[in-house]
């Protein structure tokens, strides 16, 4: 399918007709100097638009593109629009409806330079390509999976809530696309990898992509936070702004220009925002340019180290965007001496990286490097085209969805035989109190006391049979009662989790690791998985009609095994919050793992 992709920037517009399978682009359109005298280029033909402004320029340029389509005998199947800010409302691409437009308008105050022009792009394109589906793909949506602890600013609650102040993150389409390509290149499921993606263009950001989902990213409410960029400062002490506003007596508008347009590489080097020039001048002895490179690379390294800590390790570090793809100097400065993380750079390979559509991924780490260092050519337009095609193909399908029983699991512990003997006596065997719904699982008569740094929780039920590893599954409420930090994990994933002391009637046992908040999940058999159109480790949404309102549990992990019985497990906190009755049922909505809505046709 051919899709028209439109990317309306604040002062320029880029569009392309793209083949969603192979990424070929028979038509490319650019509009420069939108606010002065717009110059329109379609492939190699240039012309001047008589009127300035986004609307006039698009009304002039899109019919030219339409003419070109006829000339080349190409039919397009849909239009994909890059929209900068989706706020907290959009966690995936969507087909544009009047309601969607309204919501994009509502979040415009979070991106005043971008969302309004994105909307102009949508309106003009709809007036010209009215018979096609239009799709919005948001820069922010991939990062909507960030946990609260990562996206919350330590500012007063009332202000945060009133203005939706939180970290959103940007460049999501690119981070997702290169993480996907990295996984394909490594021939490993994205859901099994921890990847740090560094998108280094004029704007620059880093993301921590843990098992396929963004859990941290360096940009915040706006694209100003984080790395040093072409003309943006990235992180500065907010106190600096208060200080210079007082000392220089400058207005908010001037501050905005200072931080967004005059800082970053341009502000540091005083020779502009193009890193190529800065690198050349640094080699000629320009001290400001040398400092610019050092500050840029230092900040990047700092984020890489921080994100490895956030994920408790890393399997691949990806460099993309104009700088990440082309600058061996920056890749070297960011990736050398990362041996402690398990990343060993191969300097020859780094020097020889040449990316192209035919070779979009190059590994520049040593063969024996545990962490792979990858340079990857990003292609946001192709990613948007693929999202658009997925949505168009599934638009007309009707859902007839079977339901899933929901079970509430109270805190419990799985023990090894060694732990059982330490707690209950040598040679002790667990005794069955009652069978559980999952085949061969049972609740035991035995209970243990959990000793947290803050307080103890007594009579925690042991579940049998014994396992090769201990695992204590608690709720958020328990976590704070005990005074520990338990990560949300799938059952069985206990590496890098905290340990805790257990007390039984016969003695104590020190759990070295294994305390988790269980990731809400669905057990199903391979047959169920086929019916629901999902696979093991997929992430889905489950909608329940409970209490007074319908409620969606997002981020539900699918576990598939012939040994399972169809059932969703949530913890007591979640059940209470949702006011769920004893026996509830949910309806599964499939997402494609991270960002794309797929409504599957499911046969009973
Ligand atoms: P945008 O964010 O506008 O899409 P790009 O991803 O195209 O930008 O990145 C543009 C940046 O890439 C420019 O600032 C340029 O300095 C940098 N760049 C491109 N090639 C090189 C290179 N060989 N060495 C260093 N920097 C480069």
């Amino acid at each position: 399918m051919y899709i028209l992709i439109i990317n309306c920037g604040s002062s320029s517009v880029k569009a392309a007709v793209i083949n969603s399978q192979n990424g070929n682009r028979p038509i490319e359109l650019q509009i420069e100097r939108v606010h002065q005298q717009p110059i329109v280029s379609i492939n190699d033909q240039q012309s001047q638009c008589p009127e300035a402004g986004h609307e006039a320029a698009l009304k002039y340029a899109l019919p030219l593109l339409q003419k070109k389509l006829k000339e080349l005998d190409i039919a397009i199947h849909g239009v994909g629009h890059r929209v900068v800010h989706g706020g907290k409302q959009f966690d995936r691409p969507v087909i544009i409806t009047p309601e969607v437009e309204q919501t994009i308008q509502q979040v415009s105050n979070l991106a005043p330079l971008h969302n309004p022009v994105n909307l102009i792009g949508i309106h003009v394109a709809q007036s010209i390509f009215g018979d096609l589906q239009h799709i919005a793909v948001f820069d922010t949506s991939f990062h909507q999976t960030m946990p609260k602890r990562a996206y919350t600013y330590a500012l007063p609650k009332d202000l945060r809530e009133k203005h939706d102040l939180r970290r959103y993150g940007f460049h999501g389409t690119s981070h997702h696309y290169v993480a996907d390509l990295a996984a394909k290149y490594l021939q490993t499921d994205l859901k099994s990898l921890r990847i740090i993606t560094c998108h280094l263009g004029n704007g620059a950001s880093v993301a921590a992509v843990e098992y396929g989902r963004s859990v941290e990213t360096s940009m915040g409410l706006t694209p100003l936070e984080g790395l040093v960029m072409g003309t943006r400062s990235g992180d500065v002490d907010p106190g600096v702004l208060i200080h210079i506003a007082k000392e220089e007596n400058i207005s908010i508008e001037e501050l905005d220009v200072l931080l967004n347009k005059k800082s970053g590489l341009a502000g540091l080097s005083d020779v502009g925002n193009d890193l190529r020039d800065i690198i050349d001048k640094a080699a000629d002895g320009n001290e400001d340019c040398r400092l610019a490179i050092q500050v840029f690379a230092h900040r990047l390294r700092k984020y890489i180290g921080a994100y490895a800590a956030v994920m408790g390790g890393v399997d691949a570090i990806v460099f993309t965007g104009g700088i990440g793809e082309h600058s061996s100097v920056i890749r070297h400065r960011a990736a050398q001496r990362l041996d402690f993380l398990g990343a060993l750079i191969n300097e020859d390979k780094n020097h020889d990286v040449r990316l192209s559509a035919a070779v979009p991924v190059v590994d520049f780490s040593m063969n024996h490097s545990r962490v792979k260092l990858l340079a990857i050519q990003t292609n946001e337009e192709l990613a948007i085209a693929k999202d658009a095609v997925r949505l168009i193909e599934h638009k007309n399908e009707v859902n007839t969805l079977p339901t899933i029983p929901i079970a509430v699991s109270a805190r419990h512990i799985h023990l090894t035989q060694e732990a059982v003997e330490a707690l209950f006596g040598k040679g002790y065997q667990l005794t069955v109190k009652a069978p559980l719904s999952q085949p061969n699982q049972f609740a035991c008569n035995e209970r243990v006391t959990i000793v947290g740094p803050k307080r103890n929780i007594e009579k925690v039920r042991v579940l049998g049979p014994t396992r090769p590893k201990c695992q204590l599954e608690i709720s958020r409420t328990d976590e704070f009662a005990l005074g520990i930090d338990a990560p949300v994990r799938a059952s069985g994933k206990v590496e890098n989790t905290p340990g805790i002391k257990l007390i039984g009637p016969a003695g104590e046992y020190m759990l070295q690791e294994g305390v988790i908040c269980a990731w809400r999940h669905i057990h199903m058999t391979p047959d169920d998985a086929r019916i629901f159109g999902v696979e093991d480790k997929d992430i889905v949404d489950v909608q329940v009609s409970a209490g007074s309102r319908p409620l969606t549990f997002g981020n539900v992990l699918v576990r598939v095994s012939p040994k399972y019985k169809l059932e969703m497990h949530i913890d007591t906190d979640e059940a209470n919050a949702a006011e769920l009755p004893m026996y509830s049922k949910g309806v599964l909505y499939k997402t494609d793992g991270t960002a794309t809505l797929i409504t599957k046709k499911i046969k009973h």
Side-chain angles (χ1 to χ4, degrees):
M1 278 194 192
Y2 283 101
I3 302 287
L4 168 62
I5 306 296
I6 299 181
N7 178 2
C8 253
S10 54
S11 59
S12 68
V13 177
K14 286 184 191 161
V17 173
I18 186 161
N19 180 316
S20 65
Q21 260 100 47
N22 58 22
N24 281 349
R25 300 175 187 209
I27 303 177
E28 290 200 284
L29 177 147
Q30 269 207 343
I31 312 175
E32 300 289 345
R33 298 158 59 87
V34 172
H35 298 293
Q36 292 94 36
Q37 285 190 310
I39 314 254
V40 178
S41 325
I42 296 194
N43 293 353
D44 290 331
Q45 286 166 328
Q46 266 199 357
S47 59
Q48 194 160 350
C49 168
E51 227 185 305
H54 282 88
E55 187 169 345
L58 281 162
K59 281 186 171 161
Y60 173 85
L62 288 185
L64 293 179
L65 183 139
Q66 207 175 20
K67 215 168 111 204
K68 195 80 185 167
L69 283 168
K70 284 212 181 87
E71 256 174 61
L72 299 176
D73 197 20
I74 294 173
I76 54 171
H77 294 85
V79 185
H81 297 267
R82 178 178 181 190
V83 178
V84 166
H85 220 303
K88 57 180 193 265
Q89 286 85 341
F90 295 108
D91 64 356
R92 63 196 67 178
V94 289
I95 290 190
I96 298 173
T97 61
E99 293 77 45
V100 167
E101 285 172 47
Q102 223 172 26
T103 313
I104 296 174
Q105 176 65 43
Q106 278 162 14
V107 295
S108 281
N109 59 337
L110 294 172
L113 292 182
H114 293 101
N115 275 28
V117 296
N118 296 155
L119 275 172
I120 293 175
I122 291 171
H123 291 152
V124 178
Q126 280 173 334
S127 71
I128 292 167
F129 300 101
D131 50 342
L132 297 177
Q133 295 289 344
H134 290 247
I135 286 93
V137 179
F138 303 89
D139 262 24
T140 47
S141 63
F142 180 54
H143 303 300
Q144 280 295 300
T145 49
M146 272 196 284
K148 253 191 191 151
R149 63 177 75 185
Y151 71 63
T152 304
Y153 288 118
L155 292 168
K157 186 173 179 187
D158 52 346
L159 261 189
R160 276 190 278 122
E161 287 182 349
K162 184 169 171 202
H163 299 287
D164 285 330
L165 300 181
R166 47 159 283 179
R167 308 184 59 251
Y168 292 94
F170 298 87
H171 293 140
T173 310
S174 177
H175 287 294
H176 187 190
Y177 178 80
V178 296
D180 245 343
L181 267 192
K184 287 199 178 86
Y185 177 83
L186 298 170
Q187 299 186 340
T188 308
D189 189 350
L190 182 62
K191 293 172 204 151
S192 308
L193 291 168
R194 291 161 301 176
I195 306 179
I196 297 174
T197 50
C198 311
H199 177 103
L200 312 173
N202 266 316
S205 66
V206 192
V209 184
E210 187 179 44
Y211 309 133
R213 297 143 37 78
S214 171
V215 293
E216 246 298 1
T217 190
S218 56
M219 284 177 167
L221 176 82
T222 75
L224 194 49
E225 191 178 344
L227 297 179
V228 176
M229 308 180 213
T231 58
R232 296 188 200 123
S233 62
D235 297 335
V236 285
D237 172 0
V240 169
L241 312 183
I242 300 166
H243 181 72
I244 49 175
K246 271 192 204 147
E247 294 291 315
E248 296 280 322
N249 195 23
I250 57 177
S251 65
I252 300 285
E253 287 72 27
E254 285 168 313
L255 210 49
D256 188 346
V257 171
L258 174 78
L259 295 168
N260 277 300
K261 298 265 160 57
K262 295 188 177 166
S263 299
L265 290 173
L268 284 163
S269 69
D270 221 14
V271 303
N273 64 338
D274 196 315
L275 188 65
R276 280 165 292 202
D277 300 339
I278 297 172
I279 288 173
D280 288 345
K281 295 213 162 59
D284 293 342
N286 181 315
E287 284 300 335
D288 293 333
C289 289
R290 289 180 176 179
L291 182 63
I293 294 167
Q294 286 174 324
V295 177
F296 182 93
H298 173 81
R299 180 90 50 91
L300 177 58
R301 274 180 78 77
K302 199 163 85 170
Y303 269 97
I304 290 173
Y307 286 7
V310 163
M311 295 191 286
V314 55
D315 302 302
I317 305 172
V318 173
F319 293 81
T320 192
I323 296 171
E325 291 169 29
H326 302 297
S327 177
S328 52
V329 170
I330 294 299
R331 287 194 305 263
H332 160 84
R333 282 181 180 267
Q336 41 94 31
R337 292 185 299 113
L338 292 184
D339 317 19
F340 71 96
L341 277 183
L344 303 170
I345 187 169
N346 181 321
E347 297 291 358
D348 290 337
K349 285 190 193 164
N350 179 41
H351 181 263
D352 293 341
V353 168
R354 300 283 177 276
L355 297 171
S356 64
V359 186
V361 184
V362 171
D363 178 350
F364 62 99
S365 47
M366 296 289 210
N367 290 340
H368 61 287
S369 178
R370 191 186 59 72
V371 176
K372 290 292 154 197
L373 298 166
L374 304 174
I376 300 188
Q377 189 174 59
T378 193
N379 193 338
E380 285 157 292
E381 294 79 10
L382 179 58
I384 294 174
K386 284 182 187 291
D387 281 338
V389 167
R390 253 199 304 269
L391 284 178
I392 292 166
E393 280 180 344
H394 289 277
K395 161 124 200 323
N396 298 320
E397 293 188 346
V398 182
N399 292 321
T400 45
L401 296 164
T403 55
I404 300 168
I406 297 176
V408 181
S409 44
R411 69 176 80 98
H412 61 266
I413 187 160
H414 302 276
L415 295 172
T416 59
Q417 182 58 31
E418 178 197 289
V420 168
E421 297 195 15
L423 295 163
F424 299 97
K426 199 153 172 45
Y428 192 89
Q429 295 292 320
L430 292 175
T431 58
V432 180
K433 176 178 159 62
L436 296 175
S437 55
Q438 294 304 314
N440 300 326
Q441 304 286 305
F442 54 91
C444 305
N445 292 305
E446 290 72 22
R447 294 188 287 181
V448 294
T449 297
I450 314 291
V451 183
K454 184 160 162 50
R455 76 170 178 84
N456 298 356
I457 297 182
E458 292 176 351
K459 297 183 183 164
V460 174
R461 179 77 58 198
V462 178
L463 299 192
T466 54
R467 288 189 175 188
K469 283 183 180 171
C470 292
Q471 181 173 302
L472 171 63
E473 294 179 39
I474 57 174
S475 67
R476 273 277 169 263
T477 303
D478 293 341
E479 177 186 336
F480 282 92
L482 288 164
I484 58 165
D485 181 11
V488 175
R489 285 288 179 83
S491 181
K493 282 238 164 224
V494 295
E495 305 83 26
N496 297 316
T497 55
I500 203 154
K501 188 159 96 175
L502 311 175
I503 304 177
E508 292 181 2
Y509 185 76
M510 187 62 211
L511 208 65
Q512 293 306 326
E513 59 179 12
V515 184
I516 62 170
C517 281
W519 188 343
R520 61 179 85 115
H521 56 280
I522 304 172
H523 288 292
M524 59 172 77
T525 63
D527 281 347
D528 296 325
R530 260 189 299 281
I531 292 171
F532 285 101
V534 293
E535 290 174 15
D536 191 36
K537 297 194 197 137
D538 271 357
I539 314 281
V540 297
D541 294 342
V542 174
Q543 201 179 72
V544 289
S545 290
S548 47
R549 64 228 142 104
L551 190 130
T552 300
F553 286 107
N555 187 19
V556 183
L557 179 69
V558 173
R559 302 313 311 259
V560 181
S561 160
K563 292 187 292 187
Y564 290 153
K565 173 171 168 260
L566 183 65
E567 197 167 63
M568 171 164 154
H569 287 179
I570 56 174
D571 71 24
T572 34
D573 279 0
E574 295 177 321
N576 292 341
E579 299 170 31
L580 279 191
M582 268 296 260
Y583 301 102
S584 337
K585 288 182 178 241
V587 172
L588 183 149
Y589 288 88
K590 188 180 175 227
T591 64
D592 81 336
T594 38
T596 307
L597 175 69
I598 297 181
T599 31
K600 287 285 292 187
K601 188 185 281 178
I602 292 167
K603 295 190 187 76
H604 279 294

